[in-house]
Structures are given as structure tokens and as C-alpha cells.
């Protein structure tokens, strides 16, 4: 509750001061300001105090909000898993939690929110994790699923997977059969989830150049972001020209793919 309360108060103060998120870029990007106002943090003492100064807030209110910030940031649900997270991925999880819609493309891998437990475990085995690491990764997966789908309006997910993602054997044929059943059940039972397949017969397509990506959309205007991941770090694209480029790629992938319901088994 502390994070949401602090976020609402920061937003009210900004609007009262007649400022836009881009007016306080000395504290951070529009995306960072929006995350703070949406109750997603992180909340640093210096950031909150700087925002209060720019909003013309009195000292008593500033002290109260900075004290609230210290308590609110203790609520970070990903903190226990920091050692498992790729640099920058904790931020992605916060964004995923706050997003209203998620659009994702991957030629080889099923998106984390759509994986079965067995499929996910096969990935961690392939990465060489020991049993303790795999158990903690499973805990992170459960926390992520709860964050995305529990106690909130359902996150809208549209995924385009390359046909390779369905034929690469993760763990065993039975694991893959279970994963395929799960995807079909999701699309049949959940109106907020759509899965599409880009068949090999589609030939050349823009995803060959773009590689895997995830586009996150938010209810707040001008806060959408594209997430890109590599072996060592993550990138976040929020400039309009870059968002437009990935939206164009996405539109073409949607045209070239077929709904899972139409894909032959």
C-alpha cells in the first residue's frame, strides 16, 4: 500500500505544479517518473526530495514523503531474487507488473509468462543451474505469474512464436506436449491471451533482423517501452521513432503469423 500511496501523491503534486514527466528529466526518464507514480518504484531518497523541490512542496510534506519512500522501497518483491536476475531484468519485471498490454516475439523460446513449470525447469537445467538454483528460479517464476495475473485486471498478452519454438525439444517430448496443451488451453479459456505461430513457410520476415523483443503498453500516455535482452544486459527503448519501428515489425509479424487455433498439430 505504501508504494501506491506514495505514487499517487507524487503524481498529484506534479499535476498541481503544472509539470509533465519530461519537465523533471534531471531525476529520470518519463518511464522512470511514471513507474514511481504508478507505485512501482524504485524510490530513492534523493529522487523523491528532488521531485518535491521541483514541485514547490513544503519541507514538512517533503520529509513525510521521503520517509514514506524509505518504507515503500522495502516492498520490492524481486529483491530476494536479485542474484538470479540478468542486469536490468528487475526493472522489466516491474514494468510487466504495471503494463496493460504485452506484445512479444521470439523465434525459439516461449515467453516466460506462458511457460509450464516443466518447460521452465528444462530451461534452467540447460543453463546449468544446480538444484538449489532451479528451486529459487521456480520461486521467481511463481512470483512473476502472481504479479502479472493476481489481484489486478488481467494483463493482455499477444505472443508470436516462430515454429521452431514448438519443435525444439525442451526436456523431453512429453514436456513439449504439455507445453503445447497449455498454450491451447490458455487461448481457449483466456480472452486476454492470444498466441500466434510464424510458420517456416512464411519465409523472410522482419523478425530475422529485429530478433526477440517485447513491447509493453501502459494506460498512461507516452510511457510505452520496447524491451530487448542479450546474454549480459537489457535495453529499454522509449523514443517514438524506435517504438514506431518495432510497432511496424510487430504489425508485419501479425500479418504473417497464424492463430494457434489454426496451426496444425
Amino acid at each position: 500500500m505504501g508504494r501506491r500511496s506514495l505514487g499517487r501523491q507524487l503524481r498529484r503534486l506534479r499535476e498541481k505544479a503544472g509539470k509533465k514527466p519530461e519537465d523533471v528529466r534531471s531525476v529520470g526518464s518519463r518511464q522512470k517518473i511514471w513507474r514511481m507514480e504508478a507505485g512501482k518504484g524504485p524510490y530513492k531518497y534523493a529522487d523523491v526530495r528532488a521531485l518535491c523541490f521541483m514541485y514547490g512542496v513544503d519541507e514538512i510534506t517533503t520529509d513525510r514523503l521521503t520517509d514514506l519512500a524509505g518504507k515503500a522501497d522495502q516492498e520490492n518483491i524481486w529483491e530476494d531474487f536479485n542474484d538470479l536476475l540478468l542486469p536490468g531484468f528487475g526493472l522489466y519485471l516491474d514494468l510487466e507488473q504495471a503494463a496493460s498490454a504485452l506484445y512479444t516475439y521470439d523465434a525459439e523460446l516461449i515467453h516466460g509468462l506462458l511457460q509450464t513449470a516443466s518447460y521452465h525447469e528444462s530451461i534452467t537445467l540447460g543453463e546449468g543451474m544446480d538444484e538449489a538454483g532451479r528451486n529459487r528460479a521456480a520461486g521467481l517464476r511463481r512470483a512473476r505469474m502472481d504479479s502479472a495475473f493476481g489481484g489486478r485486471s488481467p494483463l493482455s498478452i499477444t505472443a508470436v512464436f516462430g515454429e521452431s519454438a514448438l519443435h525444439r525439444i525442451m526436456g523431453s517430448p512429453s514436456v513439449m506436449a504439455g507445453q503445447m496443451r497449455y498454450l491451447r488451453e490458455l487461448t481457449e479459456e483466456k480472452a486476454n491471451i492470444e498466441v500466434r505461430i510464424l510458420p517456416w513457410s512464411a519465409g523472410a520476415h522482419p523478425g530475422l533482423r529485429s530478433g526477440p523483443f517485447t513491447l509493453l503498453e501502459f494506460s498512461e500516455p507516452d510511457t510505452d517501452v520496447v524491451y530487448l535482452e542479450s546474454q549480459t544486459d537489457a535495453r529499454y527503448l522509449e523514443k517514438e521513432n524506435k517504438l514506431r519501428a518495432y510497432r511496424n515489425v510487430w504489425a508485419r509479424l501479425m500479418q504473417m503469423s497464424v492463430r494457434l487455433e489454426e496451426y496444425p498439430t
Side-chain angles (χ1 to χ4, degrees):
M1 291 296 294
R3 295 165 72 90
R4 290 195 292 272
S5 175
L6 177 58
R8 286 195 297 268
Q9 291 181 68
L10 288 174
R11 180 174 181 176
R12 283 198 296 268
L13 290 171
R14 175 177 61 77
E15 292 174 343
K16 183 178 179 180
K19 294 185 180 294
K20 299 178 180 179
E22 52 265 35
D23 296 330
V24 291
R25 278 189 172 274
S26 59
V27 173
S29 67
R30 290 181 302 169
Q31 195 67 39
K32 177 178 177 179
I33 299 302
W34 184 86
R35 291 196 308 274
M36 294 176 70
E37 293 179 354
K40 307 305 172 186
Y43 298 101
K44 296 182 179 179
Y45 176 91
D47 289 345
V48 173
R49 179 162 287 276
L51 289 174
C52 288
F53 176 79
M54 286 184 269
Y55 299 157
V57 179
D58 62 79
E59 192 64 28
I60 293 176
T61 302
T62 298
D63 288 343
R64 178 175 59 81
L65 291 179
T66 51
D67 180 63
L68 186 58
K71 296 176 181 177
D73 226 25
Q74 295 174 5
E75 300 174 16
N76 185 354
I77 63 175
W78 313 118
E79 186 174 356
D80 291 341
F81 303 105
N82 281 341
D83 59 310
L84 294 176
L85 300 179
L86 178 79
F89 191 62
L91 171 57
Y92 170 80
L93 293 175
D94 283 336
L95 294 175
E96 188 178 79
Q97 181 184 28
S100 57
L102 181 154
Y103 306 93
T104 187
Y105 163 73
D106 200 308
E108 301 284 344
L109 194 66
I110 304 299
H111 189 272
L113 288 178
L114 304 178
Q115 296 172 2
T116 65
S118 295
Y119 184 98
H120 178 265
E121 183 180 25
S122 298
I123 294 173
T124 58
L125 279 167
E127 292 174 342
M129 284 191 183
D130 59 21
E131 184 176 0
R134 294 197 304 274
N135 289 338
R136 296 194 63 246
L140 172 59
R141 173 186 173 275
R142 290 191 295 271
R144 182 182 180 185
M145 300 287 280
D146 291 342
S147 173
F149 299 124
R152 52 160 290 170
S153 299
L155 174 64
S156 174
I157 299 176
T158 306
V160 174
F161 300 128
E163 195 167 1
S164 298
L166 305 183
H167 291 275
R168 181 177 298 280
I169 303 300
M170 295 289 195
S172 69
S174 64
V175 168
M176 293 306 300
Q179 177 65 61
M180 193 67 172
R181 283 195 303 273
Y182 182 61
L183 290 177
R184 292 192 181 278
E185 290 170 1
L186 286 175
T187 57
E188 291 171 3
E189 299 172 4
K190 306 288 188 182
N192 58 305
I193 296 178
E194 178 180 358
V195 176
R196 303 180 67 89
I197 305 302
L198 185 65
W200 286 316
S201 59
H205 58 84
L208 295 172
R209 183 180 295 274
S210 72
F213 67 91
T214 296
L215 169 62
L216 295 165
E217 289 187 349
F218 301 85
S219 55
E220 186 80 2
D222 302 321
T223 55
D224 297 348
V225 62
V226 167
Y227 171 75
L228 305 175
E229 183 177 295
S230 71
Q231 183 66 27
T232 56
D233 59 15
R235 294 177 61 204
Y236 296 88
L237 309 180
E238 57 180 321
K239 291 185 177 179
E240 184 54 39
N241 64 323
K242 294 184 178 181
L243 288 172
R244 188 184 311 115
Y246 275 89
R247 287 194 177 103
N248 290 339
V249 171
W250 177 256
R252 184 63 178 148
L253 292 172
M254 288 290 287
Q255 291 173 355
M256 300 179 72
S257 59
V258 299
R259 295 176 65 92
L260 180 63
E261 298 90 320
E262 303 167 5
Y263 179 76
T265 54

